Amino acid sequence: MLGERPQLYEILDDRFRTGMCHAGDSKLETLFEGCRWAEGPVYVPAGRYLVWSDIPNDRLLRWDETTGEVGVFRSPAGHPNGNTLDGEGRLVTCEQGNRRVTRTEHDGSITVIADRFQGKRFNSPNDAAVKSDGSIWFSDPDFGIITDYEGHRAESEIGACNVYRADTASGEVRLVADGFRGPNGLVFSPDESRLFVSDSRANHIRVFDVHDNGTLTGGDVFTECTIGNFDNIRFDDGGRLWAAAMDGGVHCYDPDGTLVGRLLVPDVVANIRFGGAKRNRMFIAADTALYSVVMSVTGTPPLPMARP
């Protein structure tokens, strides 16, 4: 019918309805079109802007919430992928092309957090999560070295795709989880007691118990993707896990691992992130575009950082 809006929310379980997960905007807002492959959105509250990655074009882009203007934040940028903020509001970036994790200081200079494990270069760091003790945890698949499209073709020096923890105080880099085919998105539970990691090639999400000494145990499968393919993941403050699921849109999982609903996005969804003044605006990096939707659920607040 002429003028009829496409459906945005798909309710698969009544918990999606009772949790009011479907009561936000009725359509997506297009913020930008013109990327080659968009990933890694992160909202910067202090400046009311969003930074995200356009990996093949080797640039970070910046969307200004107050004006709607988009500009280049940094180029070249090391074929960046995932971005996040540390406890001081500094940008942490996984640079696939440079095979490292970096931090952008407040003066604009770049500090290398980690680029090697036991003397060997990483494959292509993909996504990062910052814990309240300041440590940075990141996934290291080989997506950026298997072709020149999102990085630079090269042989893996490590020979495996793992998850690592970088201690920003001591500089120590520790392997914390292995046995992945393609580790991708990762996120701590709101209380930091568990770490969730998506494996794009195995197409499931694993969950680990986090210990005070910076180690992990467990690793059982939390859920498997039956529609689409998992990429990055985020929590809302109701304990629900939201997952970018490529051509499956955006998935919403109950704390017990049940898929309860979806956002039906017209493009292939790579990454999602909650942001905005109330943390209830979901930013969606999908194919060549950046979308957003103001929702009736709220993302988890940033965790307070431990002080010496």
Side-chain angles (χ1 to χ4, degrees), residues 207-255:
V207 57
F208 298 85
D209 293 319
V210 182
H211 303 286
D212 291 340
N213 63 357
T215 62
L216 301 176
T217 55
D220 292 341
V221 173
F222 170 73
T223 193
E224 297 183 354
C225 189
T226 57
I227 309 169
N229 195 263
F230 282 139
D231 202 298
N232 91 317
I233 47 181
R234 292 288 178 258
F235 272 103
D236 69 23
D237 63 1
R240 291 170 291 258
L241 184 68
W242 296 77
M246 304 297 278
D247 57 5
V250 179
H251 291 189
C252 176
Y253 291 90
D254 187 76

mmCIF file of all heavy atoms in Angstrom, residues 207-255:
data_model
loop_
_atom_site.group_PDB
_atom_site.id
_atom_site.type_symbol
_atom_site.label_atom_id
_atom_site.label_comp_id
_atom_site.label_asym_id
_atom_site.label_seq_id
_atom_site.Cartn_x
_atom_site.Cartn_y
_atom_site.Cartn_z
ATOM 1 N N VAL A 207 29.875 -17.534 26.832
ATOM 2 C CA VAL A 207 29.883 -16.739 28.055
ATOM 3 C C VAL A 207 30.904 -17.314 29.031
ATOM 4 O O VAL A 207 30.986 -18.532 29.231
ATOM 5 C CB VAL A 207 28.477 -16.671 28.691
ATOM 6 C CG1 VAL A 207 27.915 -18.050 28.986
ATOM 7 C CG2 VAL A 207 28.490 -15.813 29.949
ATOM 8 N N PHE A 208 31.703 -16.421 29.608
ATOM 9 C CA PHE A 208 32.781 -16.790 30.521
ATOM 10 C C PHE A 208 32.568 -16.121 31.874
ATOM 11 O O PHE A 208 32.043 -15.007 31.957
ATOM 12 C CB PHE A 208 34.132 -16.334 29.961
ATOM 13 C CG PHE A 208 34.510 -16.941 28.654
ATOM 14 C CD1 PHE A 208 34.054 -16.386 27.466
ATOM 15 C CD2 PHE A 208 35.329 -18.064 28.603
ATOM 16 C CE1 PHE A 208 34.414 -16.943 26.242
ATOM 17 C CE2 PHE A 208 35.689 -18.623 27.388
ATOM 18 C CZ PHE A 208 35.225 -18.069 26.201
ATOM 19 N N ASP A 209 33.021 -16.787 32.935
ATOM 20 C CA ASP A 209 33.053 -16.173 34.256
ATOM 21 C C ASP A 209 34.339 -15.368 34.388
ATOM 22 O O ASP A 209 35.424 -15.843 34.021
ATOM 23 C CB ASP A 209 32.992 -17.244 35.345
ATOM 24 C CG ASP A 209 31.663 -17.981 35.370
ATOM 25 O OD1 ASP A 209 30.621 -17.323 35.218
ATOM 26 O OD2 ASP A 209 31.673 -19.225 35.524
ATOM 27 N N VAL A 210 34.219 -14.142 34.910
ATOM 28 C CA VAL A 210 35.358 -13.235 35.054
ATOM 29 C C VAL A 210 35.820 -13.242 36.504
ATOM 30 O O VAL A 210 35.014 -13.063 37.424
ATOM 31 C CB VAL A 210 34.976 -11.804 34.639
ATOM 32 C CG1 VAL A 210 36.182 -10.873 34.753
ATOM 33 C CG2 VAL A 210 34.422 -11.783 33.218
ATOM 34 N N HIS A 211 37.122 -13.433 36.709
ATOM 35 C CA HIS A 211 37.680 -13.480 38.063
ATOM 36 C C HIS A 211 38.516 -12.241 38.358
ATOM 37 O O HIS A 211 39.022 -11.573 37.449
ATOM 38 C CB HIS A 211 38.509 -14.756 38.228
ATOM 39 C CG HIS A 211 37.724 -16.003 37.953
ATOM 40 N ND1 HIS A 211 36.786 -16.495 38.824
ATOM 41 C CD2 HIS A 211 37.718 -16.827 36.864
ATOM 42 C CE1 HIS A 211 36.234 -17.585 38.303
ATOM 43 N NE2 HIS A 211 36.780 -17.810 37.120
ATOM 44 N N ASP A 212 38.673 -11.944 39.627
ATOM 45 C CA ASP A 212 39.355 -10.719 40.058
ATOM 46 C C ASP A 212 40.810 -10.664 39.615
ATOM 47 O O ASP A 212 41.389 -9.575 39.504
ATOM 48 C CB ASP A 212 39.285 -10.572 41.582
ATOM 49 C CG ASP A 212 37.872 -10.270 42.075
ATOM 50 O OD1 ASP A 212 37.043 -9.816 41.264
ATOM 51 O OD2 ASP A 212 37.604 -10.500 43.277
ATOM 52 N N ASN A 213 41.415 -11.825 39.358
ATOM 53 C CA ASN A 213 42.821 -11.841 38.943
ATOM 54 C C ASN A 213 42.990 -11.680 37.432
ATOM 55 O O ASN A 213 44.086 -11.867 36.901
ATOM 56 C CB ASN A 213 43.503 -13.129 39.414
ATOM 57 C CG ASN A 213 42.888 -14.382 38.797
ATOM 58 O OD1 ASN A 213 41.911 -14.315 38.052
ATOM 59 N ND2 ASN A 213 43.460 -15.536 39.108
ATOM 60 N N GLY A 214 41.908 -11.331 36.738
ATOM 61 C CA GLY A 214 41.999 -11.082 35.302
ATOM 62 C C GLY A 214 41.980 -12.327 34.447
ATOM 63 O O GLY A 214 42.437 -12.298 33.294
ATOM 64 N N THR A 215 41.448 -13.416 34.966
ATOM 65 C CA THR A 215 41.332 -14.648 34.197
ATOM 66 C C THR A 215 39.862 -14.974 33.949
ATOM 67 O O THR A 215 38.968 -14.415 34.577
ATOM 68 C CB THR A 215 42.001 -15.822 34.923
ATOM 69 O OG1 THR A 215 41.337 -16.038 36.182
ATOM 70 C CG2 THR A 215 43.483 -15.541 35.164
ATOM 71 N N LEU A 216 39.649 -15.904 33.026
ATOM 72 C CA LEU A 216 38.310 -16.360 32.683
ATOM 73 C C LEU A 216 38.213 -17.868 32.870
ATOM 74 O O LEU A 216 39.196 -18.599 32.706
ATOM 75 C CB LEU A 216 37.983 -16.041 31.218
ATOM 76 C CG LEU A 216 38.018 -14.587 30.758
ATOM 77 C CD1 LEU A 216 37.763 -14.516 29.254
ATOM 78 C CD2 LEU A 216 36.997 -13.756 31.506
ATOM 79 N N THR A 217 37.018 -18.330 33.204
ATOM 80 C CA THR A 217 36.710 -19.759 33.178
ATOM 81 C C THR A 217 35.365 -19.933 32.488
ATOM 82 O O THR A 217 34.625 -18.981 32.280
ATOM 83 C CB THR A 217 36.640 -20.375 34.595
ATOM 84 O OG1 THR A 217 35.700 -19.635 35.387
ATOM 85 C CG2 THR A 217 38.002 -20.348 35.266
ATOM 86 N N GLY A 218 35.057 -21.160 32.150
ATOM 87 C CA GLY A 218 33.798 -21.443 31.473
ATOM 88 C C GLY A 218 33.966 -21.343 29.971
ATOM 89 O O GLY A 218 34.926 -21.852 29.414
ATOM 90 N N GLY A 219 33.024 -20.697 29.335
ATOM 91 C CA GLY A 219 33.060 -20.580 27.882
ATOM 92 C C GLY A 219 31.946 -21.347 27.205
ATOM 93 O O GLY A 219 32.028 -21.633 26.005
ATOM 94 N N ASP A 220 30.894 -21.683 27.965
ATOM 95 C CA ASP A 220 29.762 -22.395 27.377
ATOM 96 C C ASP A 220 29.052 -21.511 26.356
ATOM 97 O O ASP A 220 29.133 -20.278 26.395
ATOM 98 C CB ASP A 220 28.768 -22.807 28.457
ATOM 99 C CG ASP A 220 29.313 -23.880 29.392
ATOM 100 O OD1 ASP A 220 30.295 -24.546 29.002
ATOM 101 O OD2 ASP A 220 28.773 -24.023 30.501
ATOM 102 N N VAL A 221 28.315 -22.153 25.465
ATOM 103 C CA VAL A 221 27.529 -21.425 24.469
ATOM 104 C C VAL A 221 26.290 -20.835 25.145
ATOM 105 O O VAL A 221 25.495 -21.562 25.742
ATOM 106 C CB VAL A 221 27.124 -22.338 23.302
ATOM 107 C CG1 VAL A 221 26.162 -21.622 22.360
ATOM 108 C CG2 VAL A 221 28.368 -22.795 22.532
ATOM 109 N N PHE A 222 26.145 -19.508 25.051
ATOM 110 C CA PHE A 222 24.987 -18.819 25.604
ATOM 111 C C PHE A 222 23.797 -18.928 24.667
ATOM 112 O O PHE A 222 22.675 -19.193 25.089
ATOM 113 C CB PHE A 222 25.343 -17.350 25.852
ATOM 114 C CG PHE A 222 24.171 -16.478 26.195
ATOM 115 C CD1 PHE A 222 23.563 -16.567 27.441
ATOM 116 C CD2 PHE A 222 23.680 -15.552 25.274
ATOM 117 C CE1 PHE A 222 22.477 -15.754 27.769
ATOM 118 C CE2 PHE A 222 22.605 -14.732 25.593
ATOM 119 C CZ PHE A 222 21.996 -14.835 26.839
ATOM 120 N N THR A 223 24.030 -18.715 23.378
ATOM 121 C CA THR A 223 22.970 -18.844 22.385
ATOM 122 C C THR A 223 23.587 -19.028 21.005
ATOM 123 O O THR A 223 24.747 -18.661 20.774
ATOM 124 C CB THR A 223 22.048 -17.607 22.391
ATOM 125 O OG1 THR A 223 20.863 -17.873 21.638
ATOM 126 C CG2 THR A 223 22.740 -16.390 21.807
ATOM 127 N N GLU A 224 22.815 -19.601 20.097
ATOM 128 C CA GLU A 224 23.235 -19.776 18.710
ATOM 129 C C GLU A 224 22.358 -18.928 17.805
ATOM 130 O O GLU A 224 21.181 -18.710 18.087
ATOM 131 C CB GLU A 224 23.154 -21.249 18.308
ATOM 132 C CG GLU A 224 24.096 -22.147 19.107
ATOM 133 C CD GLU A 224 24.059 -23.598 18.651
ATOM 134 O OE1 GLU A 224 23.210 -23.920 17.788
ATOM 135 O OE2 GLU A 224 24.866 -24.391 19.152
ATOM 136 N N CYS A 225 22.937 -18.452 16.723
ATOM 137 C CA CYS A 225 22.208 -17.597 15.791
ATOM 138 C C CYS A 225 21.495 -18.473 14.764
ATOM 139 O O CYS A 225 22.122 -19.259 14.051
ATOM 140 C CB CYS A 225 23.162 -16.636 15.094
ATOM 141 S SG CYS A 225 22.336 -15.378 14.113
ATOM 142 N N THR A 226 20.193 -18.324 14.689
ATOM 143 C CA THR A 226 19.393 -19.103 13.740
ATOM 144 C C THR A 226 18.905 -18.263 12.561
ATOM 145 O O THR A 226 18.394 -18.803 11.586
ATOM 146 C CB THR A 226 18.173 -19.714 14.451
ATOM 147 O OG1 THR A 226 17.403 -18.662 15.063
ATOM 148 C CG2 THR A 226 18.614 -20.706 15.517
ATOM 149 N N ILE A 227 19.055 -16.926 12.672
ATOM 150 C CA ILE A 227 18.652 -16.014 11.601
ATOM 151 C C ILE A 227 19.777 -15.017 11.417
ATOM 152 O O ILE A 227 19.972 -14.128 12.244
ATOM 153 C CB ILE A 227 17.340 -15.264 11.941
ATOM 154 C CG1 ILE A 227 16.238 -16.221 12.387
ATOM 155 C CG2 ILE A 227 16.868 -14.440 10.747
ATOM 156 C CD1 ILE A 227 15.026 -15.523 12.968
ATOM 157 N N GLY A 228 20.558 -15.156 10.357
ATOM 158 C CA GLY A 228 21.664 -14.240 10.130
ATOM 159 C C GLY A 228 22.973 -14.766 10.667
ATOM 160 O O GLY A 228 23.211 -15.984 10.715
ATOM 161 N N ASN A 229 23.837 -13.841 11.107
ATOM 162 C CA ASN A 229 25.186 -14.199 11.538
ATOM 163 C C ASN A 229 25.660 -13.179 12.556
ATOM 164 O O ASN A 229 25.602 -11.977 12.316
ATOM 165 C CB ASN A 229 26.126 -14.222 10.329
ATOM 166 C CG ASN A 229 27.435 -14.908 10.612
ATOM 167 O OD1 ASN A 229 28.413 -14.248 10.903
ATOM 168 N ND2 ASN A 229 27.471 -16.215 10.524
ATOM 169 N N PHE A 230 26.170 -13.641 13.702
ATOM 170 C CA PHE A 230 26.531 -12.743 14.794
ATOM 171 C C PHE A 230 27.738 -11.867 14.471
ATOM 172 O O PHE A 230 28.726 -12.325 13.896
ATOM 173 C CB PHE A 230 26.853 -13.533 16.061
ATOM 174 C CG PHE A 230 25.643 -14.021 16.806
ATOM 175 C CD1 PHE A 230 25.626 -15.296 17.353
ATOM 176 C CD2 PHE A 230 24.533 -13.213 16.982
ATOM 177 C CE1 PHE A 230 24.534 -15.760 18.064
ATOM 178 C CE2 PHE A 230 23.434 -13.663 17.694
ATOM 179 C CZ PHE A 230 23.427 -14.937 18.235
ATOM 180 N N ASP A 231 27.635 -10.610 14.903
ATOM 181 C CA ASP A 231 28.783 -9.696 14.903
ATOM 182 C C ASP A 231 28.929 -9.147 16.324
ATOM 183 O O ASP A 231 29.170 -9.915 17.246
ATOM 184 C CB ASP A 231 28.601 -8.583 13.863
ATOM 185 C CG ASP A 231 29.923 -7.961 13.441
ATOM 186 O OD1 ASP A 231 30.604 -7.382 14.304
ATOM 187 O OD2 ASP A 231 30.285 -8.047 12.253
ATOM 188 N N ASN A 232 28.725 -7.838 16.545
ATOM 189 C CA ASN A 232 28.970 -7.335 17.907
ATOM 190 C C ASN A 232 27.718 -7.408 18.777
ATOM 191 O O ASN A 232 26.611 -7.664 18.305
ATOM 192 C CB ASN A 232 29.577 -5.927 17.875
ATOM 193 C CG ASN A 232 28.547 -4.822 17.912
ATOM 194 O OD1 ASN A 232 27.518 -4.887 17.240
ATOM 195 N ND2 ASN A 232 28.812 -3.781 18.686
ATOM 196 N N ILE A 233 27.892 -7.175 20.086
ATOM 197 C CA ILE A 233 26.830 -7.386 21.071
ATOM 198 C C ILE A 233 26.859 -6.284 22.126
ATOM 199 O O ILE A 233 27.916 -5.763 22.449
ATOM 200 C CB ILE A 233 26.954 -8.776 21.742
ATOM 201 C CG1 ILE A 233 28.397 -9.042 22.184
ATOM 202 C CG2 ILE A 233 26.480 -9.877 20.813
ATOM 203 C CD1 ILE A 233 28.631 -10.393 22.841
ATOM 204 N N ARG A 234 25.663 -5.959 22.679
ATOM 205 C CA ARG A 234 25.535 -4.928 23.700
ATOM 206 C C ARG A 234 24.407 -5.294 24.660
ATOM 207 O O ARG A 234 23.435 -5.946 24.267
ATOM 208 C CB ARG A 234 25.228 -3.562 23.062
ATOM 209 C CG ARG A 234 26.362 -2.981 22.246
ATOM 210 C CD ARG A 234 27.490 -2.513 23.127
ATOM 211 N NE ARG A 234 28.606 -1.995 22.342
ATOM 212 C CZ ARG A 234 29.713 -2.656 22.102
ATOM 213 N NH1 ARG A 234 29.860 -3.881 22.568
ATOM 214 N NH2 ARG A 234 30.692 -2.116 21.400
ATOM 215 N N PHE A 235 24.492 -4.801 25.918
ATOM 216 C CA PHE A 235 23.455 -5.029 26.916
ATOM 217 C C PHE A 235 22.586 -3.788 27.089
ATOM 218 O O PHE A 235 23.062 -2.651 26.954
ATOM 219 C CB PHE A 235 24.077 -5.352 28.285
ATOM 220 C CG PHE A 235 24.367 -6.803 28.494
ATOM 221 C CD1 PHE A 235 25.664 -7.281 28.381
ATOM 222 C CD2 PHE A 235 23.350 -7.697 28.799
ATOM 223 C CE1 PHE A 235 25.944 -8.622 28.579
ATOM 224 C CE2 PHE A 235 23.611 -9.034 29.004
ATOM 225 C CZ PHE A 235 24.908 -9.506 28.893
ATOM 226 N N ASP A 236 21.293 -4.017 27.420
ATOM 227 C CA ASP A 236 20.477 -2.925 27.924
ATOM 228 C C ASP A 236 20.381 -3.060 29.443
ATOM 229 O O ASP A 236 20.856 -4.041 30.033
ATOM 230 C CB ASP A 236 19.109 -2.874 27.240
ATOM 231 C CG ASP A 236 18.186 -4.039 27.597
ATOM 232 O OD1 ASP A 236 18.356 -4.673 28.651
ATOM 233 O OD2 ASP A 236 17.257 -4.317 26.808
ATOM 234 N N ASP A 237 19.766 -2.067 30.101
ATOM 235 C CA ASP A 237 19.753 -2.087 31.560
ATOM 236 C C ASP A 237 18.693 -3.025 32.137
ATOM 237 O O ASP A 237 18.541 -3.113 33.351
ATOM 238 C CB ASP A 237 19.606 -0.684 32.139
ATOM 239 C CG ASP A 237 18.290 -0.016 31.765
ATOM 240 O OD1 ASP A 237 17.466 -0.639 31.070
ATOM 241 O OD2 ASP A 237 18.079 1.146 32.170
ATOM 242 N N GLY A 238 17.987 -3.743 31.269
ATOM 243 C CA GLY A 238 17.086 -4.794 31.718
ATOM 244 C C GLY A 238 17.714 -6.171 31.659
ATOM 245 O O GLY A 238 17.029 -7.180 31.877
ATOM 246 N N GLY A 239 19.020 -6.229 31.362
ATOM 247 C CA GLY A 239 19.731 -7.499 31.301
ATOM 248 C C GLY A 239 19.575 -8.237 29.994
ATOM 249 O O GLY A 239 20.038 -9.376 29.864
ATOM 250 N N ARG A 240 18.950 -7.608 29.008
ATOM 251 C CA ARG A 240 18.796 -8.240 27.699
ATOM 252 C C ARG A 240 20.038 -7.984 26.850
ATOM 253 O O ARG A 240 20.613 -6.889 26.889
ATOM 254 C CB ARG A 240 17.554 -7.709 26.989
ATOM 255 C CG ARG A 240 16.233 -8.130 27.632
ATOM 256 C CD ARG A 240 15.063 -7.383 27.032
ATOM 257 N NE ARG A 240 15.117 -5.979 27.413
ATOM 258 C CZ ARG A 240 14.360 -5.435 28.373
ATOM 259 N NH1 ARG A 240 13.497 -6.194 29.049
ATOM 260 N NH2 ARG A 240 14.462 -4.145 28.660
ATOM 261 N N LEU A 241 20.423 -8.991 26.080
ATOM 262 C CA LEU A 241 21.585 -8.882 25.208
ATOM 263 C C LEU A 241 21.101 -8.629 23.782
ATOM 264 O O LEU A 241 20.299 -9.385 23.248
ATOM 265 C CB LEU A 241 22.416 -10.165 25.265
ATOM 266 C CG LEU A 241 23.727 -10.148 24.475
ATOM 267 C CD1 LEU A 241 24.720 -9.185 25.120
ATOM 268 C CD2 LEU A 241 24.335 -11.547 24.404
ATOM 269 N N TRP A 242 21.608 -7.554 23.178
ATOM 270 C CA TRP A 242 21.265 -7.198 21.806
ATOM 271 C C TRP A 242 22.462 -7.530 20.919
ATOM 272 O O TRP A 242 23.605 -7.264 21.287
ATOM 273 C CB TRP A 242 20.921 -5.723 21.703
ATOM 274 C CG TRP A 242 19.692 -5.343 22.479
ATOM 275 C CD1 TRP A 242 19.589 -5.172 23.836
ATOM 276 C CD2 TRP A 242 18.393 -5.097 21.956
ATOM 277 N NE1 TRP A 242 18.300 -4.835 24.181
ATOM 278 C CE2 TRP A 242 17.541 -4.779 23.045
ATOM 279 C CE3 TRP A 242 17.842 -5.107 20.668
ATOM 280 C CZ2 TRP A 242 16.184 -4.480 22.888
ATOM 281 C CZ3 TRP A 242 16.496 -4.811 20.503
ATOM 282 C CH2 TRP A 242 15.680 -4.500 21.595
ATOM 283 N N ALA A 243 22.179 -8.109 19.757
ATOM 284 C CA ALA A 243 23.254 -8.575 18.882
ATOM 285 C C ALA A 243 23.035 -8.094 17.456
ATOM 286 O O ALA A 243 21.934 -8.231 16.902
ATOM 287 C CB ALA A 243 23.332 -10.105 18.898
ATOM 288 N N ALA A 244 24.090 -7.533 16.865
ATOM 289 C CA ALA A 244 24.090 -7.277 15.428
ATOM 290 C C ALA A 244 24.192 -8.636 14.737
ATOM 291 O O ALA A 244 25.084 -9.424 15.034
ATOM 292 C CB ALA A 244 25.263 -6.385 15.050
ATOM 293 N N ALA A 245 23.269 -8.901 13.827
ATOM 294 C CA ALA A 245 23.183 -10.240 13.232
ATOM 295 C C ALA A 245 23.214 -10.204 11.712
ATOM 296 O O ALA A 245 22.548 -10.997 11.041
ATOM 297 C CB ALA A 245 21.920 -10.947 13.721
ATOM 298 N N MET A 246 23.967 -9.271 11.165
ATOM 299 C CA MET A 246 24.173 -9.167 9.722
ATOM 300 C C MET A 246 22.826 -9.111 8.984
ATOM 301 O O MET A 246 22.017 -8.245 9.276
ATOM 302 C CB MET A 246 25.071 -10.318 9.246
ATOM 303 C CG MET A 246 26.410 -10.373 9.983
ATOM 304 S SD MET A 246 27.455 -8.911 9.728
ATOM 305 C CE MET A 246 28.194 -9.311 8.156
ATOM 306 N N ASP A 247 22.554 -10.022 8.063
ATOM 307 C CA ASP A 247 21.286 -9.934 7.325
ATOM 308 C C ASP A 247 20.099 -10.399 8.159
ATOM 309 O O ASP A 247 18.957 -10.407 7.672
ATOM 310 C CB ASP A 247 21.345 -10.697 6.002
ATOM 311 C CG ASP A 247 21.693 -12.166 6.150
ATOM 312 O OD1 ASP A 247 21.798 -12.652 7.305
ATOM 313 O OD2 ASP A 247 21.855 -12.846 5.119
ATOM 314 N N GLY A 248 20.328 -10.757 9.421
ATOM 315 C CA GLY A 248 19.245 -11.078 10.342
ATOM 316 C C GLY A 248 18.788 -9.879 11.150
ATOM 317 O O GLY A 248 17.941 -10.016 12.038
ATOM 318 N N GLY A 249 19.334 -8.678 10.860
ATOM 319 C CA GLY A 249 18.937 -7.472 11.581
ATOM 320 C C GLY A 249 19.607 -7.371 12.930
ATOM 321 O O GLY A 249 20.775 -7.725 13.109
ATOM 322 N N VAL A 250 18.871 -6.887 13.928
ATOM 323 C CA VAL A 250 19.352 -6.776 15.304
ATOM 324 C C VAL A 250 18.520 -7.706 16.169
ATOM 325 O O VAL A 250 17.294 -7.612 16.180
ATOM 326 C CB VAL A 250 19.244 -5.328 15.840
ATOM 327 C CG1 VAL A 250 19.740 -5.256 17.283
ATOM 328 C CG2 VAL A 250 20.027 -4.362 14.954
ATOM 329 N N HIS A 251 19.164 -8.615 16.894
ATOM 330 C CA HIS A 251 18.473 -9.586 17.733
ATOM 331 C C HIS A 251 18.436 -9.124 19.185
ATOM 332 O O HIS A 251 19.376 -8.469 19.651
ATOM 333 C CB HIS A 251 19.177 -10.942 17.676
ATOM 334 C CG HIS A 251 19.057 -11.633 16.360
ATOM 335 N ND1 HIS A 251 19.476 -12.936 16.177
ATOM 336 C CD2 HIS A 251 18.568 -11.223 15.169
ATOM 337 C CE1 HIS A 251 19.255 -13.293 14.923
ATOM 338 N NE2 HIS A 251 18.712 -12.261 14.292
ATOM 339 N N CYS A 252 17.384 -9.503 19.885
ATOM 340 C CA CYS A 252 17.268 -9.231 21.317
ATOM 341 C C CYS A 252 17.087 -10.555 22.046
ATOM 342 O O CYS A 252 16.168 -11.325 21.732
ATOM 343 C CB CYS A 252 16.078 -8.311 21.586
ATOM 344 S SG CYS A 252 15.780 -8.000 23.349
ATOM 345 N N TYR A 253 17.974 -10.822 23.030
ATOM 346 C CA TYR A 253 17.944 -12.078 23.776
ATOM 347 C C TYR A 253 17.601 -11.827 25.236
ATOM 348 O O TYR A 253 18.159 -10.940 25.887
ATOM 349 C CB TYR A 253 19.306 -12.790 23.681
ATOM 350 C CG TYR A 253 19.591 -13.297 22.290
ATOM 351 C CD1 TYR A 253 20.249 -12.495 21.365
ATOM 352 C CD2 TYR A 253 19.168 -14.565 21.887
ATOM 353 C CE1 TYR A 253 20.485 -12.940 20.067
ATOM 354 C CE2 TYR A 253 19.405 -15.021 20.603
ATOM 355 C CZ TYR A 253 20.056 -14.200 19.699
ATOM 356 O OH TYR A 253 20.281 -14.646 18.418
ATOM 357 N N ASP A 254 16.689 -12.620 25.744
ATOM 358 C CA ASP A 254 16.375 -12.619 27.164
ATOM 359 C C ASP A 254 17.604 -13.107 27.937
ATOM 360 O O ASP A 254 18.464 -13.802 27.373
ATOM 361 C CB ASP A 254 15.186 -13.558 27.410
ATOM 362 C CG ASP A 254 14.672 -13.495 28.830
ATOM 363 O OD1 ASP A 254 13.987 -12.513 29.156
ATOM 364 O OD2 ASP A 254 14.964 -14.439 29.603
ATOM 365 N N PRO A 255 17.720 -12.770 29.234
ATOM 366 C CA PRO A 255 18.869 -13.262 30.005
ATOM 367 C C PRO A 255 19.042 -14.774 30.000
ATOM 368 O O PRO A 255 20.151 -15.262 30.271
ATOM 369 C CB PRO A 255 18.578 -12.747 31.418
ATOM 370 C CG PRO A 255 17.820 -11.478 31.193
ATOM 371 C CD PRO A 255 16.949 -11.759 30.002
#
